[in-house]
Amino acid sequence: MTASELGNKAIKIFAAVLVAIVVLAAGYLYAVLNWSFSRGDRVGYVQKFSEKGWVCKTWEGELQILPVPGSIPERFMFSVRDKAVVAKINSSLGKKVSLSYEQHKGIPTTCFGESEYFIVDVKALE
């Protein structure tokens, strides 16, 4: 084998490894964002809700969970990706709400949301 044949083979191997890494990363990102680890509902009052970020703008919020008498109030941090859900939350600020969420573990960056809890539906309870 000549030096140029070895160089061409090395370039092909490098390109194949690079393509494999990109495909695996895209598959992982797709799986993490589309399959939820858990689902549930939280009830309380939305305390904070704002769009944040320099490059990746995400909607982040904080729900004050209604405490059982005698217990310490709990805060639930969440992210929202759907514009329709953002509008529902904004229209129900100051009211008691039930937030339906999906938990997505292992998201590699905060460009998709700062929290692993993503709100999928909102119901005003008042």
Side-chain angles (χ1 to χ4, degrees):
M1 256 187 195
T2 66
S4 92
E5 289 174 341
L6 283 175
N8 287 340
K9 189 172 185 177
I11 289 172
K12 287 179 183 178
I13 291 173
F14 177 75
V17 168
L18 188 61
V19 167
I21 290 171
V22 169
V23 167
L24 288 173
Y28 174 78
L29 192 59
Y30 177 82
V32 167
L33 291 174
N34 289 299
W35 288 327
S36 64
F37 175 75
S38 71
R39 299 171 193 261
D41 296 302
R42 300 283 174 113
V43 176
Y45 294 91
V46 175
Q47 245 178 228
K48 273 199 294 191
F49 191 57
S50 60
E51 189 175 29
K52 296 171 72 175
W54 292 105
V55 176
C56 301
K57 296 283 190 185
T58 61
W59 282 90
E60 306 297 327
E62 180 179 301
L63 182 77
Q64 181 75 36
I65 296 176
L66 298 175
V68 176
S71 68
I72 298 172
E74 186 181 338
R75 292 182 307 161
F76 176 67
M77 310 300 270
F78 62 87
S79 300
V80 182
R81 293 190 293 184
D82 186 353
K83 297 291 183 195
V85 174
V86 169
K88 281 183 177 181
I89 292 174
N90 278 326
S91 69
S92 64
L93 289 175
K95 299 176 185 173
K96 184 177 172 183
V97 295
S98 172
L99 300 179
S100 299
Y101 69 87
E102 292 181 351
Q103 182 181 13
H104 295 271
K105 288 188 166 277
I107 296 176
T109 177
T110 58
C111 270
F112 301 102
E114 291 180 5
S115 166
E116 61 185 33
Y117 298 99
F118 292 91
I119 304 304
V120 294
D121 194 22
V122 180
K123 294 176 194 153
L125 300 177
E126 290 182 348

